[in-house]
Amino acid sequence: LGYVKEQIGQIYFKQEFYKKAKISLNDSINTLKNSNQKALLYPQKWLALLNLKTQHNDQLLKAIKNKNFEFADFETLRDIDYWQGFILKDKQLTSKVFYLTPYTSYKNRINKLDITKSWSWSQKGEKPFISLFGNDLPISNELTSQLFCLLTSDGYKPMTLGSIHSNLFPNEFYNPNSSPDRVYQLVSRLNKKLKKLFSYKIEKHLNSYIIRPNKINNFNRIITVDEVSLLSKPKSILLHQLKGFFSKKSFSAKELSLKYNITQRTANRWIKEIVDNKKLKPTGNGKNIKYKLVS
């Protein structure tokens, strides 16, 4: 009953019937007051947003955010930032939600006119995010780079072992005996690279993992609105780079190997994956075979 009253309060809030919303939300709080404290967070959240909207008072909202941190309710924190940015017309906050959220359906709630054209995790510079691959971090087809992207794609919620496995190995079943160890080894390999490059270690929270680039020393990469989808689909980064490197020109496996400082065998493996996905068109035969990006 308490949750139903909270939902009714939400409806009134979104219809801008603020007095009715306040009554429903307070009724919800009174109904849930003998329940657990986490249950109270949801009507309290909307009441805090109502205070922000009608009284321009954010003190209650700050208190609710702190409680959400305590309960590790990361999705509520994301939604608070979304509504706070929307109510205050705060472009930076709205942009934060857009760039640090991996879910397309959630991003679609945000008007593209209300976000910045790019996002920088720190204010130390504006090196492009794409430059990480092949320089500071291994190339995008490597699992460690894919893991880096995945753990960076959500700035609110740490990623569970199961989520990491399903993203990196989409065609494989999760084996409770062997799959966790496979992910642990990958986390360990990435941690070695991050420690060497940035003196940073992947953060762990209740058996889930997250990378917070704003906490990494000397990390000042900037990402554009067109590149942000690459975080959730890191294998696309290689294709994105090839477009920048070769554009409409044909190239050989040897040229690709020299570009990335990899063996020609590895270059051929990458090329095969892209050809199989019908993104590259081969021309010629034998040693003279070259490849051209499909427009």
Side-chain angles (χ1 to χ4, degrees):
L1 180 60
Y3 286 136
V4 170
K5 290 176 178 179
E6 178 227 324
Q7 292 290 318
I8 292 170
Q10 279 193 54
I11 292 168
Y12 283 141
F13 177 85
K14 292 169 185 176
Q15 290 177 329
E16 299 184 3
F17 297 147
Y18 299 129
K19 288 182 180 179
K20 289 183 177 181
K22 188 174 182 179
I23 291 169
S24 291
L25 292 170
N26 279 321
D27 281 349
S28 174
I29 290 169
N30 287 330
T31 304
L32 293 169
K33 65 183 178 183
N34 294 323
S35 183
N36 64 71
Q37 288 300 301
K38 190 173 182 180
L40 281 170
L41 280 178
Y42 304 115
Q44 287 174 342
K45 160 196 159 183
W46 288 102
L47 198 60
L49 288 168
L50 184 63
N51 280 357
L52 181 69
K53 178 70 177 176
T54 59
Q55 300 176 30
H56 308 292
N57 186 341
D58 66 351
Q59 294 305 308
L60 186 55
L61 201 58
K62 288 178 180 178
I64 296 300
K65 279 188 174 184
N66 289 334
K67 283 186 180 179
N68 274 283
F69 273 116
E70 290 175 24
F71 288 112
D73 193 338
F74 303 108
E75 290 303 335
T76 298
L77 285 170
R78 189 196 314 275
D79 207 49
I80 287 174
D81 278 356
Y82 166 78
W83 279 102
Q84 189 172 1
F86 179 77
I87 291 168
L88 299 177
K89 294 180 170 54
D90 185 334
K91 201 167 186 175
Q92 276 301 115
L93 189 52
T94 305
S95 298
K96 174 189 172 185
V97 176
F98 179 86
Y99 283 100
L100 302 187
T101 295
Y103 315 118
T104 303
S105 58
Y106 201 99
K107 288 175 182 288
N108 288 341
R109 297 170 62 188
I110 302 171
N111 190 322
K112 299 301 185 291
L113 297 175
D114 295 334
I115 62 171
T116 55
K117 292 181 180 179
S118 61
W119 175 264
S120 181
W121 284 278
S122 70
Q123 304 303 318
K124 298 174 184 175
E126 295 189 350
K127 292 182 181 178
F129 173 79
I130 214 76
S131 72
L132 278 170
F133 299 93
N135 294 309
D136 295 344
L137 287 175
I139 194 60
S140 56
N141 270 31
E142 296 294 332
L143 285 171
T144 44
S145 285
Q146 292 176 38
L147 178 60
F148 178 86
C149 287
L150 287 171
L151 297 184
T152 305
S153 67
D154 197 334
Y156 288 90
K157 187 178 180 181
M159 191 168 286
T160 63
L161 284 173
S163 294
I164 293 172
H165 186 274
S166 66
N167 277 285
L168 296 184
F169 312 106
N171 300 319
E172 299 180 27
F173 287 110
Y174 183 85
N175 184 316
N177 294 315
S178 60
S179 296
D181 190 55
R182 195 175 182 187
V183 175
Y184 293 144
Q185 288 182 23
L186 196 53
V187 167
S188 177
R189 279 165 49 199
L190 179 56
N191 265 334
K192 287 178 182 177
K193 294 181 183 298
L194 291 175
K195 183 178 180 181
K196 182 179 178 182
L197 292 168
F198 305 116
S199 299
Y200 178 81
K201 187 177 180 181
I202 298 168
E203 296 174 42
K204 191 175 180 182
H205 190 278
L206 300 176
N207 293 318
S208 297
Y209 300 88
I210 190 169
I211 289 176
R212 302 185 192 276
N214 61 315
K215 292 185 178 180
I216 303 177
N217 293 328
N218 302 318
F219 185 93
N220 52 4
R221 286 353 190 255
I222 191 166
I223 193 166
T224 67
V225 70
D226 296 322
E227 292 172 342
V228 71
S229 62
L230 298 174
L231 290 175
S232 300
K233 298 177 181 178
K235 278 195 172 182
S236 302
I237 291 175
L238 177 59
L239 195 61
H240 192 82
Q241 286 179 312
L242 292 179
K243 288 177 182 177
F245 291 150
F246 300 110
S247 186
K248 297 179 180 179
K249 298 177 183 176
S250 296
F251 61 92
S252 65
K254 185 176 181 180
E255 288 175 301
L256 184 65
S257 68
L258 292 172
K259 201 75 180 175
Y260 287 111
N261 192 28
I262 55 175
T263 65
Q264 199 162 327
R265 183 179 179 181
T266 301
N268 278 314
R269 176 168 56 83
W270 291 358
I271 286 171
K272 184 179 183 303
E273 288 179 17
I274 304 173
V275 170
D276 288 346
N277 290 325
K278 298 181 179 179
K279 299 294 184 181
L280 274 184
K281 183 180 180 181
T283 57
N285 295 296
K287 292 183 179 180
N288 296 320
I289 192 167
K290 288 199 169 186
Y291 303 88
K292 193 173 183 180
L293 287 159
V294 175
S295 59

